[in-house]
Amino acid sequence: MQCFTQITPPTAVTHAISLPFLSASANNLVLAKTSLLQIYSFKTVVSNAVEQDVGIPNGHERRTSGAKGSGRDRVQTTKLVLIAQYDLSGTIIGLGRVKTSTSISGGETVLVALKDAKLSLIEWNPERYSISTISVHFYERDDIQVAPWAQDDAQCHNQLTTDPSSRCAALKFGARHVAILPFHQAGDELVMDDFDSSVTNDQSRNINSSHKQANGDSHHSIPYRGSFVLSLLALDSGLMHVVNLAFLHEYREPTFGVLSSRLAVSSPLHDRRNVLSYAVYTLDLEQRASTTLLSVTSLPYDVHTILPLSMPIGGALLIGCNELIHVDQAGKTNGIAVNDFARSNVSFPLPSQPDLALRLEGCVIEHIGNSNGDMLIILRSGELAILRFMIDGRSVSGLSIRLIQEQNGGRLLSSAASCTTGVGRGRIFIGSEENNSAVIGWTSRSTKLKRQRSVAEANGRTNAMIFDAEVDEEDDEAEDEDDLYFNQKPDGHISAQPTSSPSDIEIDEYSFRIHDSLMNLAPLGNLKVLEVQRSIFTDPSSQEDVPNKLELVVSVGHGKAGKLVKLRMGISPQVKYEFDLGNVQATWSVVVNNPAAESSFPTDGYDSVIITSVITDVGEEQSHVYTLRTDPPTELLDSDFDSSAGATVALGTLSGGSRIVQVLKNEIRAYDDDLSLAQIFPISEDPTPEDPRIVAASFAEPYVLLLRDDSKTMILKADDAGELEEVEQGETLSSTAWLSISIFDDSNDVFRLAGEEEADDEAGSVLLFLLNVNGGLQIYKASDLSHPVYSANGLSFLPPFLSEDFTIRRSSAREILVEILVAELGDSVTKTPYLILRSTNDDVTIYYPFQSAIEGISASSLRFAKVPSLGLSNAIKSNVLDGQNYPIQKLRAIQDVGGYSTVFRAGVSPCLILKVASAALQIIPLNSASMKSFASFHTIDCRRGFLSVDDMGAISAAQLPVHVDFSTGWVAETLLRGKSIAAFDYHAVTDRYVLGIGENADYKLPSDELHPEWVHEDIDFLPQVEQGSVQIFTPSSGKITDTYPLDSGEIVMCIKTMSLEISENTHVRRDLIVVGTSFVLGEDLSAKGRIYVFDIIEVVPDPEIPGTGRKLKLIAKEEVKGAVTSFSEVGSEGFLLVAQGQKCMVRGLKEDGTLLPVAFIDAQCYITVAKELKGSGLCIMADAVKGVWLTGYLEDPYQLRLFGKSAQHLEVVAAEFLPLGKDLYIVVGDAEGEMHVFQFDPHNPKSLTGQRLLYLSNINTGAYPTTMTLLASRPAPDPLRDGRATSVVSDDTPASLHQILLTSQTGSISLLSSLTPSAYRTLAAMQAYLTNTLPHPLGLNPRAYRNAEADNTVGGRVVLDGDVLKRWKELGSWKRAEGMARAGLDAEWEYETLLEGVWL
């Protein structure tokens, strides 16, 4: 009984398209990251050409040496801004752009293809500010006739292609089937009245059958017609093995090209050298027939992709591994060979440029966007090249390729691209599965200028000599920088331009630079779990109060894009100062102008004093002011600040920072910027002890909003002189009992709340957000307090969408809200206001505003949408109720913390609410104990920092860590870049990482007696093989400090730090580094490998190079037959379990440096995993073909004994133990992304006394697994929760539970948790309820996606889907109450108790 939960999203970008999606005039980017769909917009940021401050997020872009400047001091940079993202219950294999006449938003729609032959058509719904699924089509059906010997559809490559004119789309699925989905077009003259929908071949359902027409055309209620399935053999009997297909441009009817082969790929090379053919077919959608237009045969065998080209080029570009071939609309071919291999292996006539020496495997080609039709080639190595077509009249006469020089940005990228798309004038988005995806911009300068006759010259105008895509800021006023259709016709085709003879062609010098990038942690390789680092805020004596935060180190990427990354669950701020100023309850920092201060102290914008609110030893409340001009800070006594006036509730500045306002419990004091008292404003004319007290305050220029303990409010306004005056309230505002307040300056008019006509008032944009005692929200305009401009009485029900018209349900399941805050969240690129709510158990619910005018429903277009997927990470660790030691306002907004506009949440589990422009909003915990208060702090030594007050009253000044990424919800810090790390491990004794590095090296044939001709090999374009080495990385210096080279062709397979016995006599053990290698010698030679044992010894360091005091010392070296693929410690004597070839051996290290085998067992084909359950002697051995074995290691006598094995033949790539009490489970991940659960139970009759592992269940993870790691056990949920007994923890709960951490090639990290029977039953009931209640994007079914059908199971229970369970906060409170009732729960904290078992 297990639960699978994805704790970080996938980061590898697999598909991308750009289109106007949110509206007809928008410019959006839609990305697919395996099972994550993201929608972006673009924002142009104007900055200086010099490098920006590295401390500001997204400010790392600079003008590179390759970007040729034009003397201007300012450049424009395009940044990505995330609009929305959706976790899908499916794997995306393609995105298509479709222009329909029925889109609600007026923009275009997106066709999404999924792995299991599904198509979903989606559009943007502005009424809900979210996507809306129009229809779902699925084609995996049993009635589609295939040959009995045909390949299974699941093993075939499916492909989506759409017609450039949006007339239809085609999904190639299975071996030889294609589904055609036609779309209605404006002015469609096809008569559909006689169409019989019963003859369609797809199963589709209209999700949005009532959606409205965008242009008033009501002839078609849905944008598509009935689809149909065709056999490719019906089109042409020669289409036996389809390689690729794509729709072409500039045809009157839908026309697509098909690249196919007569023979299968597995055929010998000499038989399939010229078997490829390219054919063009036109499609008659009404008759469901096709016509062959042209055919080109005898193409090179390595051609693999069709790239359709628009005008002025036209036709299609065929991409091969060694050549490029252009086929025009008449079938004329022109090509170019890019290396020596093309001439020797291809008989197709091609002109050659062998000096290029290019490798086109894995390359991606994208149109740059200019009138010449130039194409950008992105090679697998990340190098950039320009493909130019030589035009002769209206036809292509030749192709030429030129590499971009490094100084012009030709090596900006360091890995292959997975997808590309043009995103505007001079901008291209490049997605990658191996490195960060990026938006790059280009400029061009012509080196040869040919004066041409044109219409512009005839009118006396001169053509521009230089085209610069990076236009000046003032140019944006006349021309949209982000116009997707620059120099294009309305149908998306580039307009034809005047051509010239080949001798007149201008040669452009292109320069590229990176504008923005998206963090990518894919593919994840090895993983190391580090020991938990405790809080730096807390006294070591109280470290047990700090929650555990997991730290991981992972290897990411390949080649030059490889890196070593440390991941932390929480933020560990960098503490700069610590102040002991008494029992502090809250603190603030302000800028004070003190002319008498030393001139050396910086005062320009830096904080100079801190003000504290303390409780003395006798219980007296006081406030003190301390100057920061001394170290440590000393109390400032020569000012008008009265420390005996009482505790400070809040402190802020008005009148442009010239007036400091101190809010006390019974009065408000205003100071000038030199702390001279300017005004005292009492809350009552005749103060008495019975008068109400101020409990909360909120500031927005020029207002102060106050909340008293009698639930009434006061509003003060500063006049031009800075004097505070009370603002008269309306009857509704003054008579309502309020629970929490917040004031916000909507200077950007995001909320668009129209008030009555009023005189010019600079404070007219200030809004008051008030939470009444009944849980309702009311918004007032500060300039008119007579009536609310917005009321939402159902806020406490926390609906997914909040509006004034939300109907209050007949339910008592209200969330008890205690605090409201409206604040901007974002970075230097963009900031957006959010409505943040806090409940009694410190759960945070966040809404974002949007405008949605719904005719006849609401008087205001303002609506709020709940930010999804914050429930699990936010609820865990925060459900312990506080006492009264913390202030009523736990949410504190700070404008600039490390360049971010953030919100801190104080309490027993402090956290940071943070938003990166290109990522989703995150709630990241702080690695600290309880915190009472937070405040901004900005000094010369602690820029853009913050102050925090812990539960002991101590103050710390800290900064957010720099050079880290927060986009995944984890803190990602890159330790090392530019290394392809095949394997690594951490040596804790020396605090070093030992890396197995692989680098490409040219391969020359060795001398061989049987092949004397190899000596005379004469080839300049040599193949490349990987060359391995072992290196030491010192994290303190960030450098490689030692290297042990391996032999030619030898690569590292695995590295492990182990405690091995180094002496047979003394039995002394030491932490040593064990390295397993393999020789890449070719398929005709037997494999061999080596085992290395290293120690890290201390040597005399190089004084000029830090961290060089450690070196690798070789202890043992053993050559074995077969590759060494896996290691593990085994037994209690310090021995080593080695997977070598087709054997698994237990070896012991002898004093003479040899590795003595003491036990072995014959394996099957290729062992991928060999590991022991620590301290038990039980070992698993996973085979790449045969499945998994369970063996036992015995020490007296030494032997390895087979206990049981799986009956299924699985392609195992990762495996791990998962114990639960007295039960032993084995979890296996295969190459299809499925995770299988086995159990070793010799008492079960079906196990044949344990000889067969019981196959219990499986779950589809949606990603190729790379590692599985068993985490340390942790205590089971406590039966008493805050002194309250819970019914969800029963007597069958074991003392401890285990979890497995999984990594994948998509960059996602997941968790498999073991569950007790009672917890499983409760969560299964809740999952069933959530699956039926929650909306699922694209109309997909999470149950069908996760729980695939499995054969030969023994009735085990399915693995639960934690991704569904963690979405429970997306429901309103009344829906959550209904779900808990069905699951047999009495309160939400019981469900949170269960969620702790499926989260870290």
Side-chain angles (χ1 to χ4, degrees), residues 92 97 106 152 210 249 258 325 345 359 456 752 776 818 916 932 1112 1281 1312 1334 1337 1384:
I92 299 175
R97 170 181 173 179
D152 186 74
S210 63
H249 295 269
V258 180
I325 301 174
N345 295 331
R359 293 174 169 87
R752 300 181 190 175
V818 295
V916 181
K932 296 180 181 179
L1112 286 171
R1281 184 63 171 235
L1312 184 69
L1334 288 169

Side-chain angles (χ1 to χ4, degrees), residues 287-363:
Q287 299 297 328
R288 300 183 181 180
S290 64
T291 303
T292 305
L293 298 183
L294 61 91
S295 179
V296 179
T297 60
S298 300
L299 293 173
Y301 71 93
D302 56 356
V303 175
H304 52 80
T305 301
I306 302 173
L307 180 62
L309 301 178
S310 58
M311 296 303 293
I313 306 302
L317 182 67
L318 307 183
I319 305 174
C321 296
N322 305 303
E323 64 282 320
L324 296 175
I325 301 174
H326 175 261
V327 182
D328 65 10
Q329 295 179 345
K332 177 184 175 182
T333 61
N334 288 278
I336 182 173
V338 297
N339 55 46
D340 290 333
F341 281 145
R343 291 184 300 178
S344 59
N345 295 331
V346 177
S347 60
F348 193 85
L350 290 172
S352 178
Q353 278 186 275
D355 56 312
L356 291 174
L358 298 183
R359 293 174 169 87
L360 298 182
E361 294 92 343
C363 76

Side-chain angles (χ1 to χ4, degrees), residues 47-61:
S47 58
N48 293 329
V50 297
E51 184 182 4
Q52 302 177 12
D53 190 346
V54 296
I56 299 178
N58 292 302
H60 59 277
E61 304 297 345

Side-chain angles (χ1 to χ4, degrees), residues 1-4 1188 1206 1208 1210 1218 1225-1230 1233-1240 1253-1261 1268 1312-1313 1315 1320 1346-1361:
M1 294 166 287
Q2 298 81 23
C3 179
F4 174 82
V1188 61
S1206 61
Q1208 295 76 20
L1210 301 173
L1218 184 63
Y1225 299 92
I1226 299 173
V1227 181
V1228 169
D1230 64 14
E1234 291 191 5
M1235 187 167 55
H1236 309 265
V1237 181
F1238 295 89
Q1239 183 182 10
F1240 176 65
L1253 298 177
L1254 300 178
Y1255 187 19
L1256 300 183
S1257 60
N1258 69 339
I1259 187 170
N1260 180 25
T1261 65
M1268 290 186 179
L1312 184 69
S1313 307
L1315 297 173
Y1320 180 90
R1346 289 297 188 194
N1347 303 117
E1349 296 182 1
D1351 299 330
N1352 303 321
T1353 60
V1354 294
R1357 298 181 178 180
V1358 298
V1359 180
L1360 298 182
D1361 188 358

